[in-house]
Amino acid sequence: TMGKLYNFNVISDLRGFAPIGWHIPNDEEWGVLINYLGGKNFACNKMKSVNGEVNYVDSYREMMLQNGMSLPPAKDQNGNNSSGFSAIPSGWRDVYGDFMPSLGSNSFWSKSDLNNSNLAYYWNLGNDNIITKNEYSKGRGYPIRCVKD
């Protein structure tokens, strides 16, 4: 239900990841979408699902509490999804393959890498309802959203 996580290798694979007639968006395309939805301080809420966050965050919080960690009170991380983007929390995988839950944020790879280094950009729909562009190792696993040509 949360989707699949991919490292950056699938984006750069010459066989292509996206179905015919679709492509993986680059930073410029992410920026166009975010600006269209009102900018980084407003687009996040419009892109998050209305019902994807609460149960996931609660189950993760319960697991952490069972392991002796104290956490701040849970808050609703759902959005209003007025854009129809329907982002749900998917978590991510670190470079060693370990799964990390999202705790209210959603990240998506961009097709843009950082000067052909081992780093690439991803866009994070944060739990503070602000969208940020970040960079991290291409070995990390994030979801990919495709855009129709």
Side-chain angles (χ1 to χ4, degrees), residues 60-82:
Y60 177 72
R61 291 175 58 75
E62 182 178 322
M63 179 189 72
M64 296 304 285
L65 291 171
Q66 287 174 356
N67 288 319
M69 296 184 73
S70 61
L71 299 169
K75 64 180 185 177
D76 184 358
Q77 297 295 332
N78 291 323
N80 66 31
N81 197 34
S82 62

Side-chain angles (χ1 to χ4, degrees), residues 44 48 53 56-57 75 77-78 89 101-106 124-129:
C44 190
K48 282 186 174 184
E53 299 286 346
Y56 180 77
V57 171
K75 64 180 185 177
Q77 297 295 332
N78 291 323
S102 70
L103 279 183
S105 67
N106 307 278
N124 183 55
L125 284 63
N127 56 14
D128 56 1
N129 278 327

Side-chain angles (χ1 to χ4, degrees), residues 26-105:
N26 61 25
D27 281 342
E28 184 179 336
E29 291 170 298
W30 275 103
V32 168
L33 173 63
I34 292 162
N35 286 334
Y36 176 78
L37 295 174
K40 67 178 186 170
N41 294 320
F42 298 99
C44 190
N45 191 46
K46 295 175 182 178
M47 294 170 73
K48 282 186 174 184
S49 170
V50 296
N51 59 11
E53 299 286 346
V54 176
N55 292 336
Y56 180 77
V57 171
D58 286 348
S59 64
Y60 177 72
R61 291 175 58 75
E62 182 178 322
M63 179 189 72
M64 296 304 285
L65 291 171
Q66 287 174 356
N67 288 319
M69 296 184 73
S70 61
L71 299 169
K75 64 180 185 177
D76 184 358
Q77 297 295 332
N78 291 323
N80 66 31
N81 197 34
S82 62
S83 70
F85 191 87
S86 302
I88 59 172
S90 57
W92 49 277
R93 290 209 177 270
D94 67 18
V95 295
Y96 305 105
D98 295 322
F99 177 74
M100 305 294 177
S102 70
L103 279 183
S105 67

